[in-house]
Amino acid sequence: MAEPVLASPHAESKRPFLTEQRRSRITAYTFISPFFILFSIFGLYPIFFTIYLSFFKWDALGPMKFVGMKNYDLVTSDPTFWISFSNTLIMGLMGTVPQIILALLLAVLLHSGMTKFKKTFRILYFMPNITSIVAVTLVFSTLFGNNGMINWMLNGLGLDSMAFNSGWWGVKIAISTMVMWRWTGYNAIIFLSGLQSIPMDLYEAARIDGANRRQQLTFITLPLLRPFIVFVTLLSTIGALQLFTEPYVFLGQSGTGSTRQEGITMVTYLYSEAFRNGFFGTAAATAVLLFLVTIIFSLLNMLASSRMGGDTGGKKA
Amino acid sequence: MLKKNPDDLGLFGKFWYYVLLILGALVSIFPFYWMFVVGTNDKGAVFHVPPLLTIGDQFIDNFKRVLDKADFFQALGNSLFVSAMVTISVVFFCTLAGYAFAKYEFPFKNVLFYFVIATLFVPQQLGVLPTYVIMAKLHWIDSFKALIVPAMVNAFGIFWMRQYISTAVHTELIEAGRIDGGGHFRIFWNIAIPVITPAMATLGILNFMTVWNDFFWPLVVLKNKEHFTIQIALQQLFTTRDGLDYGMIMSATFTATLPLLVVFLLFSRWVIAGLTSGAVKS
């Protein structure tokens, strides 16, 4: 479709309203507008409404009643909330810390020397991530059953069986294992791409200067890998704080079990407050608290990582 | 002994290197195999001592019980429909927005782009209650619109397309197109799109997997069996009170996992390349 040629010769004298610059600006704004429109409706507005809602008593149907800080009082004086809070932190630590260390080791292994089968290994290690969490949880609930394979192996090693589906620690170990199984390979591949971005001549230069493997690791690999470590840690932390599906499905066998105390997380608490009990106000307060916790942990994360290597390297996203 | 390459691990090192890698890979894929083992054996197979590791012949029987309990293929179809609609729309809108951020100059461009990135860090749960209320007001509860419309464009996609477009599409080509009188959308469609199809495909596959595997939001908005996505249908199989039929459950999870697994294995190179280049590099 050709652009319409300006019909009247008079138009030449006056500058047309739609200059090339204006036209391209309008185009650009049009191209980016779907995101901003949808995000305003389903992202921004809900966020502010959640904060507003957290000061009201509401069951999502009847009239809203202003109650001030009462929802926050109710939530923070509910022992179940604090159990969900500590569960989230414990499972977060158990699932994230070993996972990142394992992923780093795995990436170093995959990166070092041998190129044979590297692609195949990458695919195999990534496979856990493509399965749905529901399927993963169902599979692991058989492995972690009372007479399941994990207990059989424990017995084989001369250890006692563990109540993975009802014990305080058992449930947490089972759920953290599911999280680790799903995400370790994914993170390893991100680390691997980080390792591959480090120029080889840096190592060569270091070797000529007489640096051994350990020195190469601490002075070249880790500092240059830092942006990747920060990124992975941050995403894993945020993910860990939002843990929901694994405990919900794993403990949900009898239909109501998902709020069982061994595995209740902050999001599970939020879900059951809102959609099971109909307390939208306290659920909103929980969401706000969850968001605050997320911010605090993200900041702690940044702080820890800025200590890790002195200067900020080339981290720019 | 002369050591040619300091990275050479030697025969002993090589052996352990492969042992570790293979052990890790086995742990990664074992649950898939186990799913198939349980799905093809009879009810007692899960808790057989010692664990049963051989594939049986009960798959059809197990799967028949799935069909008795759930509209399995309906749920699979629902998931396919929702994921496809979201993916088509995400790829289209994110490519448009990424193109604008990469190739146009306009006021507040950087501010707007940083805003897009910042939205990545807001947890979904923060807005879930009002979004539910909006859906109720629109009468979209228990409809696919509730799953599709809010997901039609996302920040990661915009970020990822912008990165790719800024290097892959040459500005001179766009300018030449403008001088020749091509409209903005026409240039986007005819000049930019053909160059960036690999990035679009990667975004599409990653997005498809995410939507296919989503659980929280469908659980909140879907009420009726006939609208369940496959994830909700699977979870429903698990909530029976009269003893769990693991043969049935696993034949269902296996069948539900298979399509995605095949797609992933076919496109794994793209998926992994997309993941690693979209992740951190700026």
Short mmCIF file of all heavy atoms in Angstrom, two decimals, chain B residues 3 9 11 46 49-50 111 160 179 185 233:
data_model
loop_
_atom_site.label_atom_id
_atom_site.label_comp_id
_atom_site.label_asym_id
_atom_site.label_seq_id
_atom_site.Cartn_x
_atom_site.Cartn_y
_atom_site.Cartn_z
N LYS B 3 53.16 -33.09 29.95
CA LYS B 3 51.75 -32.74 29.95
C LYS B 3 51.52 -31.67 28.90
O LYS B 3 52.01 -30.56 29.01
CB LYS B 3 51.35 -32.21 31.34
CG LYS B 3 50.31 -33.10 31.98
CD LYS B 3 49.78 -32.46 33.24
CE LYS B 3 48.64 -33.28 33.80
NZ LYS B 3 48.10 -32.70 35.00
N LEU B 9 42.54 -34.00 31.83
CA LEU B 9 42.27 -34.58 33.13
C LEU B 9 42.98 -35.93 33.33
O LEU B 9 43.01 -36.44 34.42
CB LEU B 9 40.77 -34.77 33.31
CG LEU B 9 39.92 -33.50 33.32
CD1 LEU B 9 38.46 -33.85 33.14
CD2 LEU B 9 40.14 -32.73 34.60
N LEU B 11 43.30 -40.13 32.18
CA LEU B 11 42.31 -41.19 32.04
C LEU B 11 41.44 -41.31 33.29
O LEU B 11 40.23 -41.43 33.23
CB LEU B 11 43.03 -42.52 31.77
CG LEU B 11 42.20 -43.53 30.99
CD1 LEU B 11 41.86 -42.99 29.61
CD2 LEU B 11 42.95 -44.84 30.90
N VAL B 46 3.69 -49.42 42.53
CA VAL B 46 4.40 -48.27 43.12
C VAL B 46 5.19 -48.66 44.35
O VAL B 46 6.30 -48.21 44.56
CB VAL B 46 3.42 -47.17 43.56
CG1 VAL B 46 4.11 -45.84 43.57
CG2 VAL B 46 2.16 -47.18 42.75
N VAL B 49 8.37 -54.01 46.78
CA VAL B 49 9.70 -54.06 47.39
C VAL B 49 10.42 -55.30 46.92
O VAL B 49 9.88 -56.40 47.04
CB VAL B 49 9.60 -54.09 48.93
CG1 VAL B 49 10.98 -54.18 49.56
CG2 VAL B 49 8.87 -52.87 49.45
N PRO B 50 11.61 -55.20 46.34
CA PRO B 50 12.32 -53.96 45.96
C PRO B 50 11.61 -53.27 44.80
O PRO B 50 10.82 -53.91 44.11
CB PRO B 50 13.68 -54.49 45.51
CG PRO B 50 13.41 -55.89 45.06
CD PRO B 50 12.33 -56.41 45.93
N VAL B 111 12.69 5.42 30.01
CA VAL B 111 11.88 5.30 31.23
C VAL B 111 10.86 4.18 31.06
O VAL B 111 10.70 3.31 31.91
CB VAL B 111 11.15 6.62 31.53
CG1 VAL B 111 10.30 6.49 32.77
CG2 VAL B 111 12.15 7.75 31.68
N TRP B 160 13.26 -9.67 25.61
CA TRP B 160 13.96 -10.67 24.81
C TRP B 160 13.92 -10.30 23.32
O TRP B 160 14.94 -10.38 22.62
CB TRP B 160 13.34 -12.04 25.14
CG TRP B 160 13.48 -13.15 24.16
CD1 TRP B 160 12.47 -13.85 23.60
CD2 TRP B 160 14.68 -13.72 23.66
NE1 TRP B 160 12.97 -14.81 22.77
CE2 TRP B 160 14.31 -14.74 22.78
CE3 TRP B 160 16.03 -13.44 23.84
CZ2 TRP B 160 15.25 -15.51 22.09
CZ3 TRP B 160 16.96 -14.21 23.16
CH2 TRP B 160 16.57 -15.23 22.31
N ILE B 179 12.10 5.48 2.96
CA ILE B 179 12.32 6.40 1.83
C ILE B 179 11.55 5.90 0.61
O ILE B 179 10.98 6.69 -0.14
CB ILE B 179 13.84 6.53 1.55
CG1 ILE B 179 14.49 7.30 2.70
CG2 ILE B 179 14.10 7.22 0.22
CD1 ILE B 179 15.97 7.18 2.79
N PHE B 185 4.05 -0.36 9.56
CA PHE B 185 3.71 -1.74 9.85
C PHE B 185 4.17 -2.66 8.72
O PHE B 185 4.64 -3.77 8.95
CB PHE B 185 2.21 -1.90 10.07
CG PHE B 185 1.84 -3.26 10.56
CD1 PHE B 185 2.06 -3.61 11.88
CD2 PHE B 185 1.31 -4.21 9.69
CE1 PHE B 185 1.75 -4.88 12.33
CE2 PHE B 185 1.01 -5.49 10.14
CZ PHE B 185 1.22 -5.82 11.46
N ALA B 233 -6.78 -30.93 35.76
CA ALA B 233 -7.34 -32.28 35.63
C ALA B 233 -6.44 -33.31 36.30
O ALA B 233 -6.92 -34.21 37.00
CB ALA B 233 -7.55 -32.62 34.16
#
